[in-house]
Amino acid sequence: MKIVILGAGGRLGAALLGEYREKYDIVGFTHAQLDLANLDDLRGKLGAMNFDVLINAAAFTNVDACETERDRAFLINAEAPGVLAAICTEKDTKLVHFSTDYVFDGGKRAPYTEEDQANPISAYGESKLAGEKNVLAAGDGHLVVRVSWVFGPDRPSFIDAMIKRANQDEKINAISDKFSTPTYTHDIAEMLARVLDDWSRRASASDGLGAGRLHGILHFANAGKCSWQEYAQWALDCCRDASIPLKATTVGALKLGDMTNWVARRPVYSVLCTAKYTELKGTAPRAWREAVADYITRFYSKK
Ligand SMILES: NC(=O)c1ccc[n+]([C@@H]2O[C@H](COP(=O)([O-])OP(=O)(O)OC[C@H]3O[C@@H](n4cnc5c(N)ncnc54)[C@H](OP(=O)(O)O)[C@@H]3O)[C@@H](O)[C@H]2O)c1
């Protein structure tokens, strides 16, 4: 299977490139190599390539900057994915497009399913939802994968910032009234590989890459839910268990209302339900605590 990955310099794109290098015939494009804002360049470069699956992990991900650069947010997060999907439809290949838990308003208090109504409360969320719609409108076979609170070794995220701060300060705090699920890039790569392998099997059984139910919207996340405070506390607990010395051992509580420097609104609850993936693939994602412990053991114990 020949795969092209966009956003290959990002947290998720770089992880997919690294995890898939041995398994698939893979080419990655970083932002510098291919700019999603240049739609003609996308058509020219990707139109001239042969591939079975195009994975779009590139996005304008700065949630606050999207509020002030709305046009750019819609160009990169909405218009460009529509162009990518059209290119794939024309070539009779598939697009896997990554989206976000921020398409939801956070008003629910049970995990969001793929069928739940999206209602974004930020320009980032609106632009990502428009991107999902553009992708799905361009062809039946494409897949939109929503993920939440992504962490991994290829680019620092919340968990790394918390560990860094705990290394410097005796007291650290994190928000205690905002909930979702930390999701490890390594686990996203494994979940997606099961989908890709399914497509590949169907293609070699000659019922076509477009067959089956693995298209439309699918939620990928580790299992369970937590606040940012619980997430950070677990990270410090894992560091302690791995004998990684830190100045801070407990994480104090901040309230969402304390974040007066944030420009964009964020959903207070955005846990993604992964029951559809579990039913389709016959296996459930592992718990977020296990995934975080694995990450810290693998990447912090070495440092
Ligand atoms: N991180 C999360 O917690 C999270 C949560 C939910 C959903 N997601 C979604 O997951 C996907 C991957 O996110 P991530 O965590 O890997 O974010 P990331 O680390 O910010 O990666 C995004 C990548 O896109 C690139 N990019 C930005 N503008 C571009 C453009 N105009 N053309 C080409 N590339 C461009 C960035 O390059 P530069 O850095 O060089 O600009 C970066 O390499 C995105 O669709 C995001 O919306 C992420």
Side-chain angles (χ1 to χ4, degrees):
M1 183 175 260
K2 188 165 168 67
I3 298 178
V4 174
I5 298 186
L6 308 185
R11 187 178 303 123
L12 180 56
L16 295 176
L17 195 68
E19 303 260 353
Y20 290 170
R21 217 184 281 276
E22 307 275 296
K23 197 169 157 63
Y24 306 109
D25 178 0
I26 197 143
V27 178
F29 287 98
T30 62
H31 190 170
Q33 290 164 327
L34 190 58
D35 185 355
L36 260 67
N38 188 338
L39 303 181
D40 288 338
D41 208 27
L42 289 187
R43 290 188 192 97
K45 282 198 176 130
L46 296 171
M49 290 180 77
N50 285 322
F51 53 82
D52 301 302
V53 177
L54 175 64
I55 299 178
N56 181 30
F60 186 12
T61 55
N62 184 325
V63 176
D64 286 327
C66 285
E67 293 296 315
T68 48
E69 297 174 59
R70 210 181 149 83
D71 288 350
R72 186 168 170 74
F74 274 80
L75 175 59
I76 295 163
N77 293 343
E79 209 177 329
V83 168
L84 298 178
I87 293 168
C88 291
T89 301
E90 204 162 295
K91 286 176 168 295
D92 199 20
T93 61
K94 282 178 167 283
L95 174 67
V96 175
H97 172 69
F98 280 96
S99 191
T100 173
D101 53 332
Y102 277 29
V103 297
F104 295 114
D105 61 18
K108 205 176 165 189
R109 287 297 173 269
Y112 281 97
T113 71
E114 290 82 352
E115 283 69 42
D116 278 320
Q117 183 72 42
N119 182 32
I121 55 172
S122 64
Y124 169 70
E126 280 177 51
S127 67
K128 292 292 287 184
L129 179 62
E132 292 185 357
K133 289 182 176 165
N134 288 343
V135 166
L136 297 177
D140 290 341
H142 305 312
L143 180 67
V144 168
V145 177
R146 292 186 185 135
V147 292
S148 65
W149 291 9
V150 178
F151 69 93
D154 295 283
R155 186 177 270 195
S157 65
F158 171 81
I159 184 174
D160 309 289
M162 286 289 118
I163 293 171
K164 189 174 173 191
R165 218 177 289 165
N167 201 20
Q168 293 162 349
D169 303 331
E170 277 167 16
K171 278 186 77 174
I172 67 164
N173 300 311
I175 292 168
S176 61
D177 56 353
K178 177 169 162 41
F179 302 91
S180 194
T181 312
T183 303
Y184 191 5
T185 51
H186 172 77
D187 293 23
I188 296 173
E190 268 193 2
M191 293 173 84
L192 182 59
R194 290 198 186 97
V195 173
L196 298 174
D197 291 345
D198 198 80
W199 284 347
S200 180
R201 266 194 305 277
R202 284 170 193 279
S204 40
S206 72
D207 52 356
L209 215 57
R213 286 175 59 205
L214 287 169
H215 56 86
I217 300 173
L218 203 51
H219 290 176
F220 281 9
N222 282 114
K225 85 157 215 282
C226 62
S227 68
W228 274 346
Q229 183 192 18
E230 289 170 301
Y231 180 16
Q233 184 61 58
W234 179 245
L236 300 202
D237 293 348
C238 290
C239 286
R240 185 201 55 221
D241 291 349
S243 306
I244 298 160
L246 296 174
K247 282 190 185 158
T249 53
T250 53
V251 182
L254 281 175
K255 295 287 169 201
L256 250 188
D258 297 334
M259 305 310 292
T260 49
N261 58 340
W262 279 355
V263 180
R265 289 175 68 207
R266 278 121 166 120
V268 296
Y269 180 99
S270 58
V271 178
L272 297 175
C273 173
T274 54
K276 182 175 170 187
Y277 171 83
T278 300
E279 190 210 321
L280 286 169
K281 298 314 305 162
T283 175
R286 63 177 165 168
W288 70 266
R289 285 182 190 273
E290 204 185 313
V292 167
D294 185 13
Y295 172 62
I296 287 175
T297 316
R298 278 174 73 181
F299 294 99
Y300 277 87
S301 300
K302 277 196 251 157
K303 285 182 186 172

